Amino acid sequence: GSHGSTGLERMIMGSTTLTVIRHLKYPVIVVPPGTTYHGIKKIGLACDFKDVVASTPVDYIKNIVQEFGAELYILNVHHDETNKEYTDGTLMESAYLDAMLGDIKPVYYFLNREDVVNGINEFAEKNNLDLVMIIPKKHRLIDTLFHKSRSKELVTHAHIPIVSIHE
């Protein structure tokens, strides 16, 4: 439901998909046209390392990874022209996430890219990911006026299936 053959169909179907993701409290899988199922062995989890303890549905992630016997890749895309080290906050949040998901042995990738969506898509293609999980964040009304939704972009521009799970 995220794509149509014409611009108008894409806009209507894309908005329907995004509305479903925004309002349903259940996981939603978005499958791009032309995708063929060949199993799920590699899963990416897009993570901004902000408030991971409260916003990460750990049990759901563990269940999916264990059910499929898959590998989990934690993907953080940021842009830093100076290539400075991560902040203490990012390091602390990644440690929290690792403590919560440690028994499924996730592998962490910190990607220095200007465009988050392209960074995730490039990684997914290069590493043959079968699925990418996103956790759309809730924003206050005033924040939505100035915030560019990475989840929305990823859903509408993904080349592989995306599963949207809520905090």
Side-chain angles (χ1 to χ4, degrees):
S2 66
H3 303 284
S5 58
T6 68
L8 179 61
E9 287 174 341
R10 277 192 305 272
M11 184 177 73
I12 292 169
M13 292 306 225
S15 66
T16 301
T17 301
L18 295 170
T19 299
V20 167
I21 287 171
R22 196 173 304 125
H23 295 290
L24 285 183
K25 299 300 176 204
Y26 300 99
V28 176
I29 298 175
V30 181
V31 181
T35 302
T36 56
Y37 180 76
H38 56 272
I40 297 176
K41 294 296 174 197
K42 294 183 177 184
I43 300 172
L45 172 63
C47 185
D48 61 4
F49 290 115
K50 293 180 182 162
D51 200 21
V52 296
V53 173
S55 66
T56 307
V58 174
D59 291 336
Y60 180 80
I61 294 167
K62 284 182 175 183
N63 287 339
I64 291 294
V65 170
Q66 291 169 341
E67 188 72 30
F68 287 102
E71 300 171 33
L72 180 64
Y73 298 83
I74 307 294
L75 311 175
N76 175 262
V77 182
H78 70 289
H79 181 64
D80 183 3
E81 293 176 3
T82 63
N83 286 320
K84 290 183 180 178
E85 295 294 318
Y86 281 87
T87 66
D88 290 341
T90 300
L91 296 175
M92 185 62 81
E93 292 289 326
S94 64
Y96 290 151
L97 187 62
D98 198 52
M100 295 185 305
L101 296 174
D103 56 331
I104 57 174
K105 298 177 180 40
V107 179
Y108 293 81
Y109 287 89
F110 296 88
L111 310 170
N112 189 358
R113 302 281 192 287
E114 194 167 343
D115 186 300
V116 172
V117 174
N118 285 340
I120 291 172
N121 277 331
E122 287 172 13
F123 183 91
E125 289 175 14
K126 181 179 176 184
N127 294 280
N128 299 313
L129 296 187
D130 301 303
L131 179 73
V132 171
M133 293 180 177
I134 59 172
I135 306 168
K137 303 287 182 162
K138 294 177 184 165
H139 298 283
R140 298 176 313 181
L141 179 60
I142 190 73
D143 294 337
T144 60
L145 297 174
F146 303 103
H147 180 265
K148 185 177 180 180
S149 173
R150 304 289 188 234
S151 298
K152 176 182 174 181
E153 275 189 83
L154 193 54
V155 166
T156 56
H157 294 96
H159 304 291
I160 65 168
I162 303 291
V163 63
S164 173
I165 51 180
H166 291 276
E167 310 176 44

